[in-house]
Amino acid sequence: MKKFIKASIFVICFFCLFNFIFLYLGIPKRPIYYFYKEPRNSQDVIYIGGSNAYVHFNPLVAYRNNGFITGMISSDTQPFPLVKYMIKEARKYQKPKLYIIDIANIHYISASEGSIRLATSHMRFSKNKLDALNNVLKYSKIPKKDYLSYYFDFLTYHSSWKYINKNVVDNSELYKGFLLADVNTKMVKQEKFIWNSKSIPLSEKSKSCLINLIYYLKNNLSSDEKVLFVIPPRFYETKLMGNLNDASKIITEHNFEIINFNTLDDYEANYTLEFYNKQHLNVLGATRFTKYFSEYISQKYDLPDHRGNKKYSSWEKEYHRYTENYKEIMGKDFILK
Amino acid sequence: MILTSLTFLLFCIITILIYFLVPKKLQWFVLLLSSIFFLFYNNLRVDTLIYVLLTLMTVYICALLIDKYSNTKKSKWILIGGIVIVLGQLSFLKYTNFLLVTINHIFHLVGKNFEFNFNTRNVPIGVSYYSLIMIGYMVDVYRGLCKSQKNPLKCALLMSYFPILNSGPFIRYPDMENKLYEKHKFNYDNLCRGLIRIFWGLFKILVISQRLAIFVDAVYGNYTTYYGFYIITATIFFTLQLYTNFSGSIDIIMGISKIMGIELPENFRSPFFSKTITELWRNWHITLGAWLKDYVFYPLMKSNIIQKIGTKTKKKFGKKISKKITLYISMLIMWTLIGVWHNGAYTFIIGSGILQFIYMVLEDLLTPIASKVNKKLGINPETFGYKLYQRLRTFLLFSFSMIFFRATSVANAIDIIKYMFVMNPWILLDHTSLYSIGLDVLDFQVMIYSIIVLFIIDYLKLKGNVIDKIFNQNLVTRWIIIYLLIFAVIIFGLYGPGYDSATFIYRQI
């Protein structure tokens, strides 16, 4: 019995050490990692999508402006087959009133290694993670012999000890899921983009993923949980634009709301000042976009105001850190209003 | 099924669990079933199954008959018959192509335009090991060292015990009879010791050997670009790669067996602390050396032919020289066989056979001269410096022979040796040169530090059992050492996507 207890303690210590070490030996942390850090049932909105989500929408701005709390579950080029599982994951920890689903990656079905890993690596180990991986790997061209390394990340990331640095240890570039780094503080003039409303049918796989997602939402979400699909402001290739028009049609047919930020009358991205590349708003553009969007959803979905609530003091602290670092990077104060 | 693969890990876990869950009298049967599964998983097909069964049936029946007709001439002929069948089969499976290549060469040399075609044959895993083990078993029965095994299934287990099919060690029936078939209780101490041994083996393979392989492959693959000290460094690294790879696999195998309560014979004893080539071979692949000594060398020395040669040379050259001649002839045959066993290729025959023989003969002839010179010059061979020189000399000579082991052909080996003698020692000081060959600075450092750890452990091994030493520490120190070992393997090991599972240089089919 004594030996059994000793062995059990040894194994427990091993797993604690293992978890601690592999917290830092891994792929760069993306917003989903910080999603788990928030208290249970504390978030009003869950925002799911690719880099457009966590580069365009600043939860701190939304909180400061309208008082609601947003959880970001996004990662670079998040493969579309994962969206359903991200919602499932969100529902395990939060009871949000609204899910915002960015569909700019609706065509991204056969995902690359990097995008799958960035999206799933920091998901907590559960049946849902296994299902998510099964689903996304099924569509990918990843060799089957490498599948195991997606379920057990350490098989790939054990060698990342070479890249350990301060930034990896405390990923200071993310602020409640919003990115503020050198890259998105640049201002690169873009050609004005004009939306074309011509529809191009989605591929079979994209359509099947979208329908599957819609049925999941219809069959599982309560009446208190709303869904809003978005097409973020940016440049799109003709085919993707056509696909998004087709997707919009399907979404509307199933009675879900969708906003296309490229066709609104009262919001238009500034292609001279607000982008750092064709697909992404810079921090100025993100602030204006967030202000507009948070105002809209706050009113439409009756979201609560947590400003001044001590329970959410971490948001005030993080906002303070954000403004300080913004000043350091941009050389001027962050102006919200 | 590679020893460092997750499949093998899973296979071992399942086997060990079943092994301890079934009634103890069935434990050996679980091992047999696992071994059969292992054989089939490693490409055993109907055609190769025939070879396995033929060996098993031959040995089983011969051993029974040898036992029955013990101390009669019949038993000797049965033994010879058994050996011929098993060796014939081994030669057919492993050396036919080598023979055909040789014949083709001869045809080519005499100007004939005829060539034998040869094709790759499906060979059962471990055939080089189990063939010799089974020959040893028949000889032991013949010599009366043990009784024949009446149960054919138990005989099959001796032949196919899965841990040793990959890289040995050679087992002997009289030593293993009780260990393999007796009942084993689960023992926590064995589990801990076994696991430490397994992780030490993984450390050697995944942390050291895999890194060395990257460097060695890059240099040997481009020896016209990487000449001189690059080749010298790569040759030294290859020797270390071979050692860590082979001894690492043995550590894993011994660890698995230990958990099941089955002690296997040691195959390595800190070979690079040997002062002579003879001593090195006493500590390197110990069980092969011992097998060949007992079943080839001594019988050969006592054989009629060698005795006759002895008598003839004694008349001509005197007793002392005659003794040397018979000894060297027996040694030459044995070392050629060692080379052939390693693989049917001239590179192996030269590298791990003939060259070793030459070293040993020179050692035998020069040692008395060296002693005299040392005496005259007042050199004390017991000093640390002199011992270090002897160890370095042995290591470098052994490494040199390994060029043939690593080369793709004898011509290739000679070419590499030619390119080796170019003076560019500055590449050892100019760090960027070494770091540009497959391994970056950090990987190179991890490799060097790990090799230092390896040598320290090997040195401690000379002083006693290292695992015993770990277990004599207090709990905290013990756990820290074990955690360091496990995490060194997990973090610094080269495995997972992007790395092919370690290929085992010594894996004999």
Side-chain angles (χ1 to χ4, degrees), chain B residues 149-298:
Chain B
Q149 176 53 255
K150 305 283 182 289
N151 186 337
L153 295 178
K154 284 189 175 178
C155 192
L157 176 60
L158 174 74
M159 183 172 143
S160 63
Y161 180 51
F162 76 88
I164 64 163
L165 289 179
N166 258 302
S167 336
F170 285 98
I171 53 173
R172 294 177 189 210
Y173 183 69
D175 303 334
M176 295 304 294
E177 190 182 0
N178 292 332
K179 292 175 191 169
L180 271 182
Y181 312 128
E182 74 186 5
K183 299 164 184 174
H184 293 283
K185 257 186 174 180
F186 173 78
N187 183 308
Y188 178 75
D189 205 44
N190 279 350
L191 174 73
C192 297
R193 285 164 187 269
L195 285 175
I196 291 177
R197 191 87 197 243
I198 291 170
F199 272 97
W200 179 236
L202 289 171
F203 177 81
K204 283 182 183 174
I205 296 170
L206 299 177
V207 181
I208 306 177
S209 184
Q210 291 276 65
R211 281 189 171 79
L212 289 165
I214 293 171
F215 188 93
V216 173
D217 290 350
V219 174
Y220 270 72
N222 301 285
Y223 61 89
T224 49
T225 313
Y226 300 121
Y227 45 80
F229 271 77
Y230 285 116
I231 297 180
I232 294 174
T233 313
T235 302
I236 289 169
F237 280 3
F238 177 66
T239 309
L240 293 171
Q241 182 200 344
L242 188 65
Y243 172 55
T244 46
N245 190 293
F246 187 19
S247 68
S249 342
I250 293 290
D251 285 323
I252 294 171
I253 289 157
M254 299 203 51
I256 293 162
S257 274
K258 176 85 183 173
I259 294 172
M260 295 189 286
I262 300 166
E263 296 276 354
L264 292 175
E266 286 291 345
N267 217 23
F268 290 93
R269 211 180 299 119
S270 313
F272 297 141
F273 284 89
S274 306
K275 287 178 277 187
T276 62
I277 289 287
T278 314
E279 191 188 336
L280 187 143
W281 275 98
R282 274 201 296 270
N283 298 319
W284 175 286
H285 211 339
I286 298 168
T287 54
L288 172 68
W291 192 96
L292 284 163
K293 218 186 312 176
D294 287 350
Y295 301 111
V296 177
F297 185 72
Y298 291 144

Side-chain angles (χ1 to χ4, degrees), chain A residues 40 82 169 187 196 238 259 325:
Chain A
R40 275 177 183 264
L82 284 176
V169 177
M187 195 184 284
N196 183 338
T238 314
I259 303 179
N325 286 347

Side-chain angles (χ1 to χ4, degrees), chain B residues 16 21 33 87 123 136 145 175 201 236 297 306 330 343 347 370 379 386 396 448:
Chain B
I16 291 167
L21 286 175
L33 289 180
L87 272 187
V123 177
L145 295 174
D175 303 334
I236 289 169
F297 185 72
I306 296 290
S330 304
N343 212 343
T347 45
I379 296 169
Y386 193 81
L396 292 176
I448 296 297

Side-chain angles (χ1 to χ4, degrees), chain A residues 10 13 148-149 158 161-162, chain B residues 6 440 443 483 490-491 493 495:
Chain A
F10 181 89
C13 290
L148 200 64
S149 70
H158 64 278
W161 56 271
K162 288 182 194 172
Chain B
L6 285 172
D440 59 23
D443 269 323
Y483 281 137
I490 295 175
I491 296 168
Y495 59 90

Side-chain angles (χ1 to χ4, degrees), chain A residues 106-107 200-203 238-248:
Chain A
I106 195 152
H107 63 306
I200 298 172
L202 285 165
S203 71
T238 314
K239 191 180 173 211
L240 177 57
M241 199 165 25
N243 286 161
L244 287 168
N245 284 326
D246 190 37
S248 304

